[in-house]
Amino acid sequence: PWPQTGRPRRVGVSSFGISGTNAHVILEQAPELDVPVRPKSTAPAIPWALSAKSAGGLRTQAARLASFVEAADLDPVDVGFSLATGRTALEYRAAVAGADRDELVRALHDLAASGDSAPVSETPKLSVLFSGQGSQRLGMGRELYAAFPVFATALDEVVASLDGLLDRPLLDVMWGDDAELLDQTGYTQAALFAVETALFRLVESWGVRPDFVGGHSIGEVTAAHVAGVLSLSDAAKLVAARGRLMQALPPGGVMVSVAAPEADVLPLLIDGVDIAAINGSASVVVSGVDQAVARVVAVLQKRGVKTKQLRVSHAFHSSLMDPMLDEFRPVLNGLSFGEATIPVVSNVTGALTPVNDPEYWVTHVRNAVRFADGITALEAAGAQVFLELGPDAVLSGMAEGFIPAQRRNREEALTIVSALGALHSAGATVDWGKFFEAYGAGWVDLPTYAFEHERYWLFAGPSGDPLSVGQDLVEHPLLGAAVALAADEGAVLTGRLSLSTHRWLADHRVLGRVLLPGTAFVELAMRAGEQVGAGFLEELVLHAPLVLPAEGGVHVQVAVGAPEESGRRSVRVFGRFEDADPEWVLHAEGTVGPDAPPTEWDLAQWPPSGVEPVPVEGLYDRLIERGYEYGPTFQGLRAAWRSGDDLYAEVALPEADDAAGFGLHPALLDAAMHVDLLDEDGPALLPFSWSGVGLHGGSTAALRVHVRRLQGGELSAMRIADESGRPVLTVESLASRAGSAEQPVTGRVHRVTWQEVDRGRPRTTRDEIIRCLQMTGDDVPAMVRETVGGVLERLQSWLTEDHGAARLVVVTRNAMADEPNVIQAPVWGLVRAAQSENPGRIVLVDVTEDVPDDVIHAAVATGEPELAVRGDRILTPRLARTSVPSGVSPWSSAARVLITGGTGGLGAVVARHLVSVHGVRDLVLVSRRGGDAPGAAELAADLRSQGAEVWLVACDVADRDAVAALLAEFPVDGVVHTAGLLDDGVIESLTPQRLDTVLR
């Protein structure tokens, strides 16, 4: 609660981190804002803007937002508004646009899958350029007019200023059905000026402010108008007169686009031919009299230059324009020209030049359009982003990096909103609040930033220098060093595997565990053999899967033995957890040899003739039910075919770079075996034995696979080729067997242990000690209530008072002993809850006998919140790792397991876990009499449907003798406590062995 105080409320937040990293923040209550409630309206197109600190973070942001929006019922306008105005714009940016939520979510998924961006270091300078003649189209601006009131108002204003200067209403021509009429210069130039001016006013209303403006031919008139050189009235007069006088010229003349530099074209010019435009370094337009232009073009064509005649009514920017200039000059002299408020790049000079001289616009009609020079000048002035305003993307095809506001045959509203998003992505300023306020948008909660967690501290990994300690460097993703053994010509290769350094391994989860793939053992053995000149894997048998821990790593050794006379060597793969006992576990062993059989096959014909396609869609979803929880790296099967016992497939890695450094990436080889799972419904299969594995080619990211089933499907032979069909790998035979959760593994569990701590320095503050009373009697529940109730009352009273730095010490007797005092043990649960709410104020101490206060104070001085005094030793609980030895499984399908509290919430979860994951088939579920009988029956029926035999036993706490007699009929092999129904004495008398484990 944050109570009102009559003044702005404030709160201090302090954070103290590692190595002196401290942060202190004071937050003050925001002022109350009188925000008007605007009516909701539908947006014709909606932008969603995102940003991140890296390109990968941007893709993650997109994926997180897509998942969130798919699961939430949110207005896409509110989502866009919240993204645009409630998030910091970071260096990497992107935006998607759509007409509705589904379109936007699809665009987010595309961005998450393959989106890329460059960082924006600062706000770039923006240049707005207006299209020239040739970009016109029927209906231009009509959708924008209906979608955006700002555009409609601006267009109405421009059209009104032109209609009195034309012989018919301009909108009738623009939005009619006569394309030839619109192509008449008198209407074309007026229509372009009207649409481009309205486009500028629209983006201007969204906060887009250019640093420079320009245009191509008639487009420069629009640039001069929006820059303040000409008023709307005077600009309309210039445009109308210019178009009318050009239209009145005698028909004839041609314009031809030439793919050659200006310097190559100039020497070829003859009378009647001029350069009309220089659009690029090798893009020139020649214009003039038909026959003269044809002669120049013929010479260019003989030189192999590409040419294209343009569809125009007159030869603009040539000598054929001369007859109109004298009549055009008086019109210009009657206009008022002002100073530009935005720098204008000139078509005439190709530089940033004043354009407020009437004679300039006469020259503008006659001279060449130096568009390419203008772009060069803008870039030299610092322009980095270019926005084309016009009815089509014409200028965008002449230079790179242009953002077109409109495109022919595209939805107008969606296209301009996409352009707005592209401006955001490029770093330009957009006032998103102005865009969204028209639709009554409001803020909604969205996912927070998708932080990319990276390790800060350096660690010694494969990138270390083994040469400094007398080892050889091994450049392999799974191995880092090698030692050649002097005694017997063998070798040992070493490496370290972990999910933090080899993240792709986390995608290989089978039967609920992250296993090192069997194909990785093949890769390790073959690479070790290659180290000593024996790279052919004659045989490899896997003894025990290697479970990779969630934290920490596994040390790996691959030992290659001394050579026999034939050159054959033994190879063995060992693993050991880096922080466990120094016991190495043998995971695989076999033989390697120097000679691989020659290959005379290929898979060039693809797919082979006579095969039938096999659907692969949904395979990995189906495999989850069989225990294969493959992540993206291992979901490599792309296509499959069948012909009798022969199976064919295409497999690939998500990223081509992932294959670097491997003989054959284990995930790719694993995916090659997935074709054998397409029509199987049996248990999860794990590779067991490999024979005759020869590597013929280097690593690749995509493969063709041929699998032949042998001996009724028990064995398989494989041939693997690259995308051209050349051999990559041969496997003479591969045997697999069913895996299960009880299969021997090397795993890790945790256990709470009590460890001795040193006595602390005596505290100057005297702490208050309360001791739980020793109670005896038969009414255990009543004694528990009295003990816990008394402690609770003391806690509540003490915590409401100010005791300064003093702490409350709660002392119990035998609550944490091997045979716990069931009366006082619940006190620890109560006090732990109070400690979490009042950190540093309460301490728990357990003793086995009466000890003086000074011993208690000495224990509290250690600073630990939980302690046990045992003689002269002071202990505190610590979580310690312990190993499950290879070959020992905590549960067996043949075992009978008793679960106390077996039909309660936790007991039911444990029972289902034992049956579905560990394969236990015989359960005794003990529950309190009068408990959840319907739930117990439902649970038993569910477990029996999975093939388990279930015994339900109901009892009271006091019925220990009866329960013991009953359970004597059910000898059990293991016990799981999920409730304190029976004490340890009863349990020990019923079980021949005690299994302590931690269930994942």
Short mmCIF file of all heavy atoms in Angstrom, two decimals, residues 507 509 615-632 634-638 674 677-678 680-682:
data_model
loop_
_atom_site.label_atom_id
_atom_site.label_comp_id
_atom_site.label_asym_id
_atom_site.label_seq_id
_atom_site.Cartn_x
_atom_site.Cartn_y
_atom_site.Cartn_z
N ASP A 507 18.50 -29.03 -27.46
CA ASP A 507 17.40 -29.41 -28.34
C ASP A 507 17.25 -30.92 -28.47
O ASP A 507 16.35 -31.39 -29.15
CB ASP A 507 17.61 -28.80 -29.74
CG ASP A 507 17.38 -27.31 -29.76
OD1 ASP A 507 16.80 -26.79 -28.78
OD2 ASP A 507 17.77 -26.65 -30.74
N ARG A 509 16.27 -33.60 -26.34
CA ARG A 509 15.65 -34.08 -25.10
C ARG A 509 14.86 -35.34 -25.43
O ARG A 509 13.95 -35.31 -26.26
CB ARG A 509 14.74 -33.01 -24.51
CG ARG A 509 14.08 -33.42 -23.19
CD ARG A 509 13.20 -32.30 -22.65
NE ARG A 509 14.00 -31.19 -22.19
CZ ARG A 509 14.51 -31.10 -20.97
NH1 ARG A 509 14.27 -32.06 -20.08
NH2 ARG A 509 15.22 -30.06 -20.62
N PRO A 615 4.45 -38.13 -46.23
CA PRO A 615 4.27 -36.83 -45.55
C PRO A 615 5.13 -36.74 -44.30
O PRO A 615 5.23 -37.69 -43.52
CB PRO A 615 2.77 -36.83 -45.20
CG PRO A 615 2.15 -37.87 -46.06
CD PRO A 615 3.20 -38.90 -46.31
N VAL A 616 5.76 -35.58 -44.10
CA VAL A 616 6.57 -35.35 -42.89
C VAL A 616 5.98 -34.27 -42.00
O VAL A 616 6.49 -34.03 -40.90
CB VAL A 616 8.01 -34.96 -43.28
CG1 VAL A 616 8.67 -36.06 -44.09
CG2 VAL A 616 8.04 -33.64 -44.05
N GLU A 617 4.88 -33.63 -42.46
CA GLU A 617 4.29 -32.57 -41.66
C GLU A 617 3.79 -33.13 -40.33
O GLU A 617 3.14 -34.16 -40.27
CB GLU A 617 3.13 -31.90 -42.40
CG GLU A 617 3.55 -31.13 -43.65
CD GLU A 617 3.85 -32.03 -44.83
OE1 GLU A 617 3.53 -33.24 -44.74
OE2 GLU A 617 4.41 -31.53 -45.82
N GLY A 618 4.07 -32.44 -39.27
CA GLY A 618 3.59 -32.83 -37.96
C GLY A 618 4.38 -33.94 -37.31
O GLY A 618 4.02 -34.41 -36.21
N LEU A 619 5.48 -34.41 -37.95
CA LEU A 619 6.24 -35.53 -37.39
C LEU A 619 6.74 -35.21 -35.99
O LEU A 619 6.60 -36.01 -35.07
CB LEU A 619 7.43 -35.85 -38.31
CG LEU A 619 8.46 -36.83 -37.71
CD1 LEU A 619 7.86 -38.20 -37.48
CD2 LEU A 619 9.70 -36.92 -38.60
N TYR A 620 7.33 -34.03 -35.82
CA TYR A 620 7.97 -33.73 -34.53
C TYR A 620 6.94 -33.50 -33.44
O TYR A 620 7.23 -33.71 -32.26
CB TYR A 620 8.93 -32.56 -34.70
CG TYR A 620 10.11 -32.94 -35.57
CD1 TYR A 620 10.20 -32.52 -36.90
CD2 TYR A 620 11.11 -33.79 -35.08
CE1 TYR A 620 11.26 -32.89 -37.71
CE2 TYR A 620 12.18 -34.18 -35.88
CZ TYR A 620 12.25 -33.73 -37.20
OH TYR A 620 13.29 -34.13 -37.98
N ASP A 621 5.75 -33.08 -33.81
CA ASP A 621 4.68 -33.01 -32.81
C ASP A 621 4.27 -34.41 -32.36
O ASP A 621 4.02 -34.66 -31.18
CB ASP A 621 3.47 -32.26 -33.39
CG ASP A 621 3.75 -30.80 -33.60
OD1 ASP A 621 4.62 -30.26 -32.89
OD2 ASP A 621 3.11 -30.19 -34.47
N ARG A 622 4.21 -35.35 -33.32
CA ARG A 622 3.84 -36.73 -32.96
C ARG A 622 4.94 -37.41 -32.14
O ARG A 622 4.65 -38.21 -31.25
CB ARG A 622 3.56 -37.54 -34.23
CG ARG A 622 2.39 -37.02 -35.06
CD ARG A 622 1.97 -38.06 -36.10
NE ARG A 622 3.03 -38.43 -37.00
CZ ARG A 622 3.32 -37.81 -38.15
NH1 ARG A 622 2.60 -36.75 -38.49
NH2 ARG A 622 4.30 -38.22 -38.92
N LEU A 623 6.17 -37.09 -32.44
CA LEU A 623 7.26 -37.75 -31.73
C LEU A 623 7.31 -37.37 -30.26
O LEU A 623 7.88 -38.11 -29.44
CB LEU A 623 8.60 -37.40 -32.39
CG LEU A 623 8.86 -38.04 -33.76
CD1 LEU A 623 10.21 -37.62 -34.29
CD2 LEU A 623 8.78 -39.56 -33.68
N ILE A 624 6.74 -36.22 -29.90
CA ILE A 624 6.71 -35.83 -28.49
C ILE A 624 6.01 -36.89 -27.67
O ILE A 624 6.41 -37.21 -26.55
CB ILE A 624 6.03 -34.46 -28.34
CG1 ILE A 624 6.91 -33.36 -28.96
CG2 ILE A 624 5.76 -34.14 -26.87
CD1 ILE A 624 6.28 -31.99 -28.92
N GLU A 625 4.93 -37.47 -28.22
CA GLU A 625 4.19 -38.50 -27.49
C GLU A 625 5.03 -39.75 -27.27
O GLU A 625 4.75 -40.53 -26.36
CB GLU A 625 2.92 -38.84 -28.27
CG GLU A 625 1.98 -37.65 -28.48
CD GLU A 625 0.79 -38.01 -29.35
OE1 GLU A 625 0.71 -39.18 -29.77
OE2 GLU A 625 -0.05 -37.13 -29.60
N ARG A 626 6.04 -39.95 -28.09
CA ARG A 626 6.91 -41.12 -27.94
C ARG A 626 8.16 -40.82 -27.12
O ARG A 626 9.01 -41.68 -26.96
CB ARG A 626 7.32 -41.65 -29.32
CG ARG A 626 6.12 -42.13 -30.14
CD ARG A 626 6.52 -42.50 -31.55
NE ARG A 626 7.57 -43.52 -31.58
CZ ARG A 626 8.16 -43.93 -32.70
NH1 ARG A 626 7.80 -43.40 -33.86
NH2 ARG A 626 9.11 -44.84 -32.65
N GLY A 627 8.28 -39.59 -26.64
CA GLY A 627 9.40 -39.25 -25.78
C GLY A 627 10.48 -38.41 -26.42
O GLY A 627 11.44 -38.03 -25.77
N TYR A 628 10.35 -38.12 -27.76
CA TYR A 628 11.34 -37.30 -28.43
C TYR A 628 10.89 -35.83 -28.37
O TYR A 628 9.96 -35.43 -29.08
CB TYR A 628 11.47 -37.68 -29.91
CG TYR A 628 11.87 -39.11 -30.17
CD1 TYR A 628 10.92 -40.07 -30.51
CD2 TYR A 628 13.20 -39.51 -30.13
CE1 TYR A 628 11.27 -41.39 -30.78
CE2 TYR A 628 13.57 -40.82 -30.40
CZ TYR A 628 12.60 -41.75 -30.73
OH TYR A 628 12.97 -43.04 -31.00
N GLU A 629 11.54 -35.03 -27.54
CA GLU A 629 11.20 -33.61 -27.44
C GLU A 629 12.28 -32.81 -28.15
O GLU A 629 13.09 -32.13 -27.53
CB GLU A 629 11.07 -33.19 -25.97
CG GLU A 629 10.02 -33.97 -25.19
CD GLU A 629 10.05 -33.64 -23.71
OE1 GLU A 629 9.92 -32.45 -23.37
OE2 GLU A 629 10.21 -34.57 -22.91
N TYR A 630 12.31 -32.90 -29.49
CA TYR A 630 13.38 -32.28 -30.26
C TYR A 630 13.14 -30.79 -30.40
O TYR A 630 12.04 -30.34 -30.70
CB TYR A 630 13.46 -32.90 -31.66
CG TYR A 630 14.00 -34.31 -31.68
CD1 TYR A 630 13.47 -35.27 -32.55
CD2 TYR A 630 15.05 -34.68 -30.85
CE1 TYR A 630 13.98 -36.56 -32.58
CE2 TYR A 630 15.55 -35.97 -30.88
CZ TYR A 630 15.02 -36.90 -31.74
OH TYR A 630 15.52 -38.17 -31.77
N GLY A 631 14.21 -30.01 -30.21
CA GLY A 631 14.18 -28.58 -30.46
C GLY A 631 14.51 -28.29 -31.91
O GLY A 631 14.73 -29.20 -32.72
N PRO A 632 14.59 -26.98 -32.29
CA PRO A 632 14.77 -26.61 -33.71
C PRO A 632 16.00 -27.24 -34.37
O PRO A 632 15.94 -27.63 -35.52
CB PRO A 632 14.88 -25.09 -33.65
CG PRO A 632 14.17 -24.70 -32.39
CD PRO A 632 14.40 -25.81 -31.42
N PHE A 634 17.37 -30.06 -34.01
CA PHE A 634 17.20 -31.48 -34.34
C PHE A 634 15.93 -31.75 -35.14
O PHE A 634 15.62 -32.91 -35.39
CB PHE A 634 17.22 -32.31 -33.05
CG PHE A 634 18.59 -32.49 -32.48
CD1 PHE A 634 19.17 -31.50 -31.71
CD2 PHE A 634 19.33 -33.63 -32.74
CE1 PHE A 634 20.44 -31.64 -31.19
CE2 PHE A 634 20.61 -33.79 -32.24
CZ PHE A 634 21.17 -32.79 -31.45
N GLN A 635 15.21 -30.72 -35.53
CA GLN A 635 14.02 -30.91 -36.38
C GLN A 635 14.42 -30.71 -37.84
O GLN A 635 13.95 -29.81 -38.52
CB GLN A 635 12.91 -29.93 -35.97
CG GLN A 635 12.37 -30.18 -34.57
CD GLN A 635 11.24 -29.24 -34.21
OE1 GLN A 635 10.75 -28.48 -35.06
NE2 GLN A 635 10.82 -29.27 -32.96
N GLY A 636 15.31 -31.58 -38.31
CA GLY A 636 15.93 -31.35 -39.61
C GLY A 636 15.30 -32.06 -40.78
O GLY A 636 15.69 -31.83 -41.93
N LEU A 637 14.33 -32.97 -40.57
CA LEU A 637 13.75 -33.72 -41.67
C LEU A 637 12.86 -32.81 -42.50
O LEU A 637 11.91 -32.22 -41.99
CB LEU A 637 12.95 -34.91 -41.14
CG LEU A 637 12.38 -35.87 -42.19
CD1 LEU A 637 13.49 -36.51 -43.00
CD2 LEU A 637 11.51 -36.93 -41.53
N ARG A 638 13.17 -32.66 -43.79
CA ARG A 638 12.43 -31.75 -44.67
C ARG A 638 11.50 -32.47 -45.65
O ARG A 638 10.45 -31.95 -46.02
CB ARG A 638 13.42 -30.88 -45.47
CG ARG A 638 14.30 -30.00 -44.59
CD ARG A 638 13.48 -28.90 -43.94
NE ARG A 638 14.32 -28.01 -43.15
CZ ARG A 638 14.48 -28.09 -41.86
NH1 ARG A 638 13.85 -29.05 -41.18
NH2 ARG A 638 15.25 -27.24 -41.20
N HIS A 674 15.67 -39.90 -38.65
CA HIS A 674 14.27 -39.66 -38.33
C HIS A 674 13.31 -40.22 -39.37
O HIS A 674 12.14 -40.46 -39.08
CB HIS A 674 14.02 -38.16 -38.16
CG HIS A 674 14.79 -37.56 -37.03
ND1 HIS A 674 14.82 -36.20 -36.78
CD2 HIS A 674 15.56 -38.14 -36.07
CE1 HIS A 674 15.59 -35.98 -35.73
NE2 HIS A 674 16.05 -37.14 -35.28
N LEU A 677 11.41 -43.15 -38.40
CA LEU A 677 10.39 -43.00 -37.36
C LEU A 677 9.04 -42.57 -37.91
O LEU A 677 8.09 -42.40 -37.15
CB LEU A 677 10.85 -41.96 -36.32
CG LEU A 677 12.20 -42.20 -35.63
CD1 LEU A 677 12.54 -41.02 -34.75
CD2 LEU A 677 12.17 -43.49 -34.83
N LEU A 678 8.96 -42.39 -39.22
CA LEU A 678 7.74 -41.80 -39.80
C LEU A 678 6.50 -42.65 -39.59
O LEU A 678 5.43 -42.15 -39.31
CB LEU A 678 7.95 -41.54 -41.29
CG LEU A 678 8.76 -40.28 -41.62
CD1 LEU A 678 9.13 -40.26 -43.09
CD2 LEU A 678 7.96 -39.03 -41.26
N GLU A 680 6.27 -45.41 -37.40
CA GLU A 680 6.40 -46.26 -36.23
C GLU A 680 5.63 -45.65 -35.06
O GLU A 680 5.59 -44.43 -34.90
CB GLU A 680 7.88 -46.40 -35.83
CG GLU A 680 8.73 -47.09 -36.90
CD GLU A 680 8.42 -48.57 -37.01
OE1 GLU A 680 7.82 -49.11 -36.07
OE2 GLU A 680 8.78 -49.17 -38.03
N ASP A 681 5.02 -46.49 -34.26
CA ASP A 681 4.29 -46.02 -33.08
C ASP A 681 4.84 -46.61 -31.79
O ASP A 681 4.19 -46.57 -30.76
CB ASP A 681 2.79 -46.39 -33.20
CG ASP A 681 2.14 -45.67 -34.37
OD1 ASP A 681 2.50 -44.51 -34.60
OD2 ASP A 681 1.31 -46.30 -35.03
N GLY A 682 6.01 -47.21 -31.86
CA GLY A 682 6.56 -47.88 -30.70
C GLY A 682 7.24 -46.93 -29.74
O GLY A 682 7.08 -45.71 -29.81
#
